[in-house]
Amino acid sequence: MTRLAVNIGGIKMANPVTTASGTFGFGPEYAPFIDLRRLGAIVVKGTTLEPRLGNPPPRIVETPAGILNSVGLQNPGVDAFIAQSLPYLRGIGVPVIVNIAGNTVEDYVEVARRLDRAEGVAGLEVNISCPNVKMGGLAFGTDPKMAAEVIGGVRAATRLPIIAKLSPNVTDIVKIARAVADAGADALSLINTLLGMAIDIRRRKPILANVMGGLSGPAIRPVAVRMVWQVAQAVPLPIIGMGGIMNAADALEFILAGASAVAVGTGNFVNPRATMDVIAGIEAYCQEFGVEDINDLVGAAWKK
């Protein structure tokens, strides 16, 4: 029997498979399809200080190997999440990780402070791909100093484990990872979506109302695996790898590159049971190759 338990910066997961924020709602949406109790953890939809309606439609475009989205963090706000969604999630019995976002450092800090007092939150995944309105819209995650400022602020506001979710839209992902590690992050999520766009050739206009969106799905997997490979060898923090994981083979690729856990995102839209299939596939792989502990596979593609 393979030991599948992993520890992500203090968050104890029974297995290394979780959900990618923004693709799994707040949990009950997938209850008719899967046993939520089998997940290693649940990462819920991005949550902000205030309720958000999101961007105007169209905000989803299907591409040959993934989707472009510009949903715009539609969510009910942190207070409504605590009152309406957290009691249900708490009853499932798996770690609940809340993805948090904001337009200013103060936004992040206040959301973290309110969740710190809420029963049933295992950790915070800090989405630093949001625009900093005080800096004219530049994403926090594209600048090491700004990324560290957000993580440092959240660190001071909570005792919960902090997972910094990094943007791939940078020249040197290792530099950003080191900055957030020094600022107090306990773990990393790699990667968020890649910036992209699509054009309607008949209208001769961008399809998304927001013009640009985030590309996810199988198209970005090689980029994500590369970034996990680079960061895992440079920064001593556990990594949740994500980006186009559709099956167990994809997940194992991330683990061998250095991820301690994996998150299924766009795959949930194609196959609502994708997370269950990934868990079963990892178990089967470990049995086939005599792996006694899943942690022995982390970074095995580069470790001697």
Side-chain angles (χ1 to χ4, degrees):
M1 190 74 173
T2 303
R3 180 178 181 273
L4 291 179
V6 299
N7 188 321
I8 302 297
I11 302 171
K12 297 178 180 178
M13 298 168 52
N15 67 68
V17 179
T18 184
T19 57
S21 175
T23 64
F24 206 72
F26 291 107
E29 295 90 338
Y30 279 81
F33 308 106
I34 67 171
D35 182 355
L36 297 173
R37 296 169 299 180
R38 285 210 68 203
L39 291 168
I42 296 175
V43 181
V44 301
K45 189 167 172 49
T47 300
T48 55
L49 183 59
E50 75 292 346
R52 291 193 186 185
L53 296 175
N55 293 324
R59 52 189 193 181
I60 296 284
V61 177
E62 190 170 347
T63 75
I67 58 173
L68 274 169
N69 92 83
S70 65
V71 172
L73 293 172
Q74 177 187 357
N75 79 96
V78 65
D79 291 336
F81 167 76
I82 292 171
Q84 298 166 14
S85 298
L86 195 51
Y88 172 87
L89 290 163
R90 198 162 50 225
I92 296 170
V94 303
V96 176
I97 300 169
V98 184
N99 181 287
I100 67 172
N103 286 332
T104 65
V105 175
E106 291 78 12
D107 283 355
Y108 285 95
V109 169
E110 184 56 30
V111 174
R113 184 175 292 121
R114 295 187 192 187
L115 289 169
D116 184 72
R117 299 192 296 258
E119 181 186 355
V121 178
L124 305 178
E125 182 181 64
V126 184
N127 175 5
I128 52 176
S129 297
C130 304
N132 179 352
V133 294
K134 289 185 178 178
M135 293 290 290
L138 183 65
F140 285 105
T142 59
D143 179 87
K145 185 178 178 182
M146 290 168 54
E149 187 179 355
V150 174
I151 298 301
V154 172
R155 177 74 286 161
T158 180
R159 298 160 296 174
L160 294 169
I162 296 174
I163 306 165
K165 186 168 186 176
L166 304 189
S167 169
N169 302 304
V170 297
T171 303
D172 187 350
I173 190 71
V174 171
K175 187 179 293 185
I176 305 291
R178 283 181 173 142
V180 298
D182 291 344
D186 301 293
L188 305 169
S189 283
L190 296 171
I191 60 174
N192 210 320
T193 55
L194 281 157
L195 196 59
M197 68 177 294
I199 294 176
D200 183 330
I201 62 170
R202 296 191 179 279
R203 292 193 308 113
R204 300 180 184 178
K205 297 288 184 184
I207 296 176
L208 294 171
N210 198 46
V211 181
M212 297 184 193
L215 178 65
S216 62
I220 73 169
R221 193 172 66 249
V223 177
V225 171
R226 184 262 295 178
M227 289 189 165
V228 169
W229 171 279
Q230 289 178 308
V231 172
Q233 295 180 63
V235 180
L237 291 182
I239 296 171
I240 302 176
M242 65 194 74
I245 295 175
M246 307 299 283
N247 51 48
D250 298 340
L252 286 159
E253 196 176 0
F254 277 89
I255 292 171
L256 293 169
S260 296
V262 293
V264 178
T266 301
N268 292 312
F269 300 143
V270 179
N271 170 18
R273 290 190 49 80
T275 49
M276 301 294 100
D277 293 346
V278 170
I279 295 170
I282 290 174
E283 289 176 324
Y285 175 92
C286 290
Q287 289 172 10
E288 179 182 354
F289 290 93
V291 178
E292 296 182 354
D293 189 330
I294 189 68
N295 294 284
D296 293 340
L297 293 180
V298 176
W302 52 266
K303 288 179 179 175
K304 294 181 180 178

